[in-house]
Amino acid sequence: MTSSALSLPDGFLFGAATASYQIEGAVTEDGRGPSIWDTFSAVPGNTANGDTGEVACDHYHRVPEDVALMRDLGLDAYRFSVAWPRILPQGVGTPNQPGIDFYDRLVDELLAAGIRPVATLYHWDLPQALEDRGGWRTREVAGWFADYAAVVVGALGDRVRNWTTLNEPWCSSMLSHTLGAHAPGHRDPLEGLLTAHHLMLAHGTAVPVIREHCPEAEVSVTLNPSQVHGPQDPTEADLDAVRRADNVLNGVFFGPIFHGAYPEGFLDDVAHLTDGSFVHDGDLDTISAPLDNLGVNNYFPTRVRATADGEEPEGDTHLLPGCERVSALEPHPPLTAMGWEQSPESHRMILERSARECGLPVYVTENGSAWDDTVAEDGQVHDPERVAYLRAHLAAVADAVDAGADVRGYFAWSLLDNFEWAYGYDKRFGIVHVDYATQVRTVKDSGREYARIIAEHHGR
Ligand code: PNW
């Protein structure tokens, strides 16, 4: 049964997404403790222009205005994240009531506007106090995370049913601990593996805690799988490079979370780094706790080949565990302002793959593109490239549904231009433009187009 020009299922959920550190600002207000992103972005060279999330979109002080914007766009749902250091400034211990009150007001405002709140517990702002105690490198973090989940779900679980444990554990492990691009900025292949495992352990430990505090909960995790392509006429070595890249990007999470095991051969491929003793008895049972749906964030595919004998590897894929002989291939143009390939076809493929791996309903919890947007003479923001990207990727979602993938919703990344991590405020992903000097919000052409698509789908 379809009802829209896009042939998406009835009841398909249209939303937009943000993350706490990227939009809230107010980093020292109402008892919030520092996070690893406050620390990381304060170090010159770690972010573009030395940008930090200190003010960001000042969303902390603009909830009514921003929710009104969502209502005007006709959004069905809003995906936001809760800042752990607002709830527990030291990461553990006594909850900080003013921090809880902020999300309490946000949720009430959303519900009053008829918008479904979809909450993520961890979108990268680990309390610095926990980083100082080993952060994601220590197994202890699983208990800290579950205790934090209990506080948040205990406070909001009477009104919020959609709970996501982690946003993109690949970024919190490999990108942060092996590639050094995100906080805490470590460059260690083994740390990527350990933190990935501990993130999953934290996820699995929190799942029953969420259910206990919210029996109606729909519990999920958001991954960022990427379709891996090899060269045109691959050699055996190229195919092995594709397999290894796919394992370290996708299988390392799909395996433990949905199949209760690391991908076949993966622990052998990383045997030069670890004997695998970081996997304790029972861990994989904990990690594979049943979920209700899967969130998929996908922006671009990955292209790799085998590095030839005696050749210097291309790109930084070779830094990832098990990928020492893997080289990156050039992305296919046209690229976005991030330098990311646009491939709706790969988006369809990874959605179908994700649906098969998890056997659950899937939500696209993030998808979007960055462009060099400016406010035009007419006071509008004309972003034809983002309009085209949005249309093409929604069409790809519809194709995935036609092919049998149970995709139930799509969240545009992002509601607002915001603090794009290491890229600071240089990269704009919003369907709404933010003038950071004045905090004026202007709906871009893509925001209008999204509103039109949503209205059309709902027959409004
Ligand atoms: C996601 N990569 O991050 C995040 O969930 C958002 O917070 C972020 O703003 C958005 O995508 C756009 O970047 C990613 O390098 C960051 O592979 C980097 C990568 C993937 C996702």
Side-chain angles (χ1 to χ4, degrees), residues 350-420:
I350 202 65
L351 287 175
E352 291 182 30
R353 157 87 178 280
S354 301
R356 268 199 314 277
E357 292 268 5
C358 70
L360 296 169
V362 168
Y363 288 84
V364 177
T365 37
E366 283 181 29
N367 174 250
S369 56
W371 304 98
D372 298 322
D373 306 307
T374 51
V375 181
E377 298 266 328
D378 61 3
Q380 308 285 312
V381 179
H382 304 299
D383 57 343
E385 305 96 335
R386 188 176 289 99
V387 170
Y389 184 100
L390 173 68
R391 284 193 185 135
H393 284 75
L394 280 171
V397 173
D399 289 345
V401 172
D402 284 346
D406 186 6
V407 187
R408 303 260 178 110
Y410 176 95
F411 291 75
W413 184 269
S414 177
L415 175 71
L416 303 170
D417 290 337
N418 60 47
F419 175 71
E420 179 51 32

Side-chain angles (χ1 to χ4, degrees), residues 66-397:
D66 289 342
V67 173
L69 205 50
M70 298 176 213
R71 195 194 47 221
D72 292 347
L73 290 168
L75 300 186
D76 300 316
Y78 173 56
R79 173 176 180 260
F80 63 96
S81 77
V82 176
W84 190 341
R86 284 199 195 284
I87 307 298
L88 296 160
Q90 295 302 313
V92 293
T94 311
N96 173 45
Q97 193 57 44
I100 296 173
D101 293 345
F102 169 72
Y103 296 102
D104 218 74
R105 291 196 301 275
L106 171 63
V107 166
D108 286 344
E109 200 88 40
L110 289 167
L111 293 174
I115 298 167
R116 187 199 295 197
V118 175
T120 299
L121 289 168
Y122 185 71
H123 197 132
W124 308 353
D125 39 5
L126 186 75
Q128 181 62 41
L130 296 185
E131 176 62 25
D132 297 341
R133 296 168 64 178
W136 294 109
R137 294 179 301 289
T138 163
R139 290 176 64 86
E140 256 190 289
V141 72
W144 300 334
F145 182 69
D147 290 349
Y148 158 62
V151 174
V152 178
V153 181
L156 306 177
D158 57 332
R159 286 152 293 154
V160 178
R161 285 184 53 178
N162 290 83
W163 289 101
T164 302
T165 53
L166 309 174
N167 177 73
E168 302 189 356
W170 183 86
C171 289
S172 313
S173 54
M174 303 299 169
L175 196 61
S176 305
H177 288 269
T178 293
L179 298 177
H182 282 186
H186 296 185
R187 294 171 187 272
D188 181 325
L190 178 58
E191 266 193 31
L193 291 174
L194 299 182
T195 54
H197 189 75
H198 297 151
L199 279 150
M200 290 190 280
L201 196 60
H203 154 80
T205 305
V207 171
V209 173
I210 295 171
R211 296 201 191 284
E212 180 191 323
H213 288 85
C214 179
E216 301 281 273
E218 291 181 30
V219 185
S220 112
V221 65
T222 281
L223 303 179
N224 61 313
S226 180
Q227 186 68 35
V228 183
H229 300 287
Q232 266 299 324
D233 295 302
T235 62
E236 283 295 314
D238 289 327
L239 292 176
D240 191 56
V242 168
R243 180 188 69 80
R244 286 166 177 267
D246 184 66
N247 273 346
V248 84
L249 292 173
N250 305 317
V252 70
F253 300 104
F254 281 142
I257 294 173
F258 296 111
H259 312 301
Y262 277 95
E264 213 186 308
F266 179 73
L267 291 175
D268 298 330
D269 292 340
V270 298
H272 56 293
L273 298 170
T274 171
D275 60 5
S277 55
F278 63 89
V279 184
H280 292 199
D281 282 351
D283 280 5
L284 290 160
D285 288 335
T286 302
I287 290 170
S288 57
L291 299 175
D292 300 301
N293 64 72
L294 169 66
V296 170
N297 294 355
N298 176 254
Y299 293 84
F300 56 87
T302 301
R303 296 187 183 274
V304 299
R305 63 174 172 84
T307 308
D309 286 337
E311 184 200 8
E312 278 295 301
E314 199 72 49
D316 56 10
T317 316
H318 69 99
L319 300 171
L320 296 171
C323 292
E324 294 76 10
R325 312 270 307 137
V326 179
S327 272
L329 281 170
E330 286 296 315
H332 293 186
L335 309 182
T336 70
M338 293 293 283
W340 291 352
E341 176 172 342
Q342 306 177 67
S343 174
E345 177 73 2
S346 302
H347 189 61
R348 175 189 63 74
M349 292 169 82
I350 202 65
L351 287 175
E352 291 182 30
R353 157 87 178 280
S354 301
R356 268 199 314 277
E357 292 268 5
C358 70
L360 296 169
V362 168
Y363 288 84
V364 177
T365 37
E366 283 181 29
N367 174 250
S369 56
W371 304 98
D372 298 322
D373 306 307
T374 51
V375 181
E377 298 266 328
D378 61 3
Q380 308 285 312
V381 179
H382 304 299
D383 57 343
E385 305 96 335
R386 188 176 289 99
V387 170
Y389 184 100
L390 173 68
R391 284 193 185 135
H393 284 75
L394 280 171
V397 173

